Amino acid sequence: MRVARVVAGRVGELAIVFLGVTFLIYAAVWALPGDPIAALGGDRPLPPNVVAELRERFHLDEPLWQQYLRYLGGLVTGDLGTAFDGRPVAERMASRWPVTITLALTAWVIEVVLGVLLGLWAGLRKDTAIDRTILFGTILATSIPIFVVGVTAQLVFGLQLGWAPIAGTDAGWPVAYLLPALVIAVFGLASIARLMRGSVIDSMESDFVRTLRAKGIPRSRIVGVHVTRNSVAPVLTFVAIDLGFLLGGAVVIEGIFNLPGIGQLLFSAIRTQEGPTVVGVATTLILIFLALNVLVDIINSALDPRIRHD
């Protein structure tokens, strides 16, 4: 019951966040300058009666709050809206999910494995040259914008060295996904490494490790079994939530590497002022991120009694 109350309270909080964030996105999209309906004609302006009919069809002649409520009503039934070409936004997204999910999961595995290993290595060699080098590298990685890292990786590893393709998915997995996945993983990897390092240092200085040493248990077993297991636990929450961030980071990277995923769809929709698609994709990503938050809360509440009693 206590777990259920914790989860119910968390869901209520996230529902308020969802309404606030989606309304801001909806308002921002439709506040952009220019008339997206008039722009559909390209170089040939659409007749005024056609523009008026399309605005009425997509409810753009209604007040913003009324449009938003209509959109929320559609969400309840799973309707993410209709694009200006007449296709449902959900249908446009369906064929692109495999690329984005493959990219995000590849990046997720890379950042978890390398982040945990680097953090463990740094934590076991506290205040050494290795520790300081890893810390400096993580700070440097998180201070560079993702599009700069993406373009640089494309130029160096793709064009100059020829180690990986610079665009498209023709080479298949993992060749076509490895370089963009590494770019996305850099930021989460740095955070995981720092979290793991701090957790390892705390574990190595704890009473249970001193007790194990006093019993004569080999250092390799202490580190490999006890320290690693206890140090990974605090990292799990970040790792689970970061999967949602990876889906968001794919927006920029899929645009740079021309990967036909959800991110590229959102990227092109923003450029062409395809409002329904922008709002539909953004809403889906927000829902995934919030669902991951709820899942993490359920797991933490079930595993840690202190959370249930807070």
Side-chain angles (χ1 to χ4, degrees):
M1 287 296 295
R2 288 175 177 173
V3 174
R5 285 199 299 270
V6 170
V7 173
R10 188 63 172 152
V11 169
E13 294 173 0
L14 294 179
I16 296 174
V17 173
F18 172 77
L19 291 174
V21 173
T22 53
F23 179 76
L24 289 175
I25 292 174
Y26 198 93
V29 168
W30 296 115
L32 291 173
D35 187 349
I37 297 297
L40 292 176
D43 295 333
R44 290 185 176 183
L46 295 175
N49 61 324
V50 175
V51 172
E53 181 182 346
L54 289 174
R55 289 183 63 83
E56 182 180 357
R57 180 187 302 177
F58 291 101
H59 308 288
L60 298 181
D61 55 343
E62 298 175 355
L64 180 64
W65 64 269
Q66 193 171 343
Q67 295 180 47
Y68 179 67
L69 290 179
R70 186 185 297 277
Y71 180 71
L72 289 181
L75 284 180
V76 175
T77 61
D79 182 10
L80 292 172
T82 303
F84 289 148
D85 61 1
R87 293 175 59 195
V89 174
E91 182 182 311
R92 297 188 67 186
M93 295 172 61
S95 62
R96 294 174 177 264
W97 274 119
V99 172
T100 297
I101 291 174
T102 301
L103 177 62
L105 289 179
T106 303
W108 192 65
V109 171
I110 290 172
E111 73 173 30
V112 170
V113 173
L114 293 183
V116 168
L117 290 177
L118 287 174
L120 180 63
W121 194 17
L124 294 175
R125 289 160 178 78
K126 179 184 175 184
D127 296 331
T128 64
I130 292 175
D131 181 30
R132 287 191 288 270
T133 300
I134 292 175
L135 281 178
F136 175 77
T138 58
I139 294 172
L140 183 64
T142 54
S143 62
I144 304 175
I146 188 171
F147 69 88
V148 174
V149 178
V151 172
T152 303
Q154 207 174 35
L155 291 174
V156 175
F157 299 107
L159 291 178
Q160 296 181 4
L161 298 177
W163 290 356
I166 61 173
T169 58
D170 293 341
W173 188 90
V175 177
Y177 291 88
L178 191 56
L179 186 58
L182 280 169
V183 173
I184 300 176
V186 163
F187 300 91
L189 186 157
S191 299
I192 292 174
R194 288 200 299 270
L195 284 172
M196 187 67 182
R197 173 188 178 274
S199 189
V200 168
I201 291 173
D202 290 340
S203 296
M204 291 298 292
E205 296 175 351
S206 63
D207 292 335
F208 83 89
V209 169
R210 284 192 286 269
T211 301
L212 293 173
R213 286 173 175 168
K215 290 182 178 181
I217 296 177
R219 187 174 187 272
S220 59
R221 179 172 176 78
I222 294 175
V223 172
V225 177
H226 302 283
V227 172
T228 302
R229 184 177 60 191
N230 284 274
S231 300
V232 167
V235 179
L236 293 180
T237 299
F238 175 85
V239 165
I241 294 176
D242 193 53
L243 186 57
F245 283 110
L246 290 175
L247 291 172
V251 173
V252 178
I253 295 304
E254 286 181 4
I256 294 174
F257 286 87
N258 195 30
L259 302 176
I262 295 295
Q264 188 197 56
L265 176 64
L266 179 58
F267 191 78
S268 61
I270 292 173
R271 288 188 303 172
T272 58
Q273 291 187 297
E274 176 67 52
T277 302
V278 174
V279 174
V281 174
T283 299
T284 304
L285 294 177
I286 292 169
L287 283 172
I288 292 174
F289 180 77
L290 295 180
L292 288 172
N293 273 270
V294 173
L295 179 61
V296 168
D297 287 338
I298 293 174
I299 295 173
N300 286 339
S301 298
L303 297 179
D304 193 343
R306 295 172 298 179
I307 296 177
R308 299 197 294 268
H309 290 286
D310 287 344

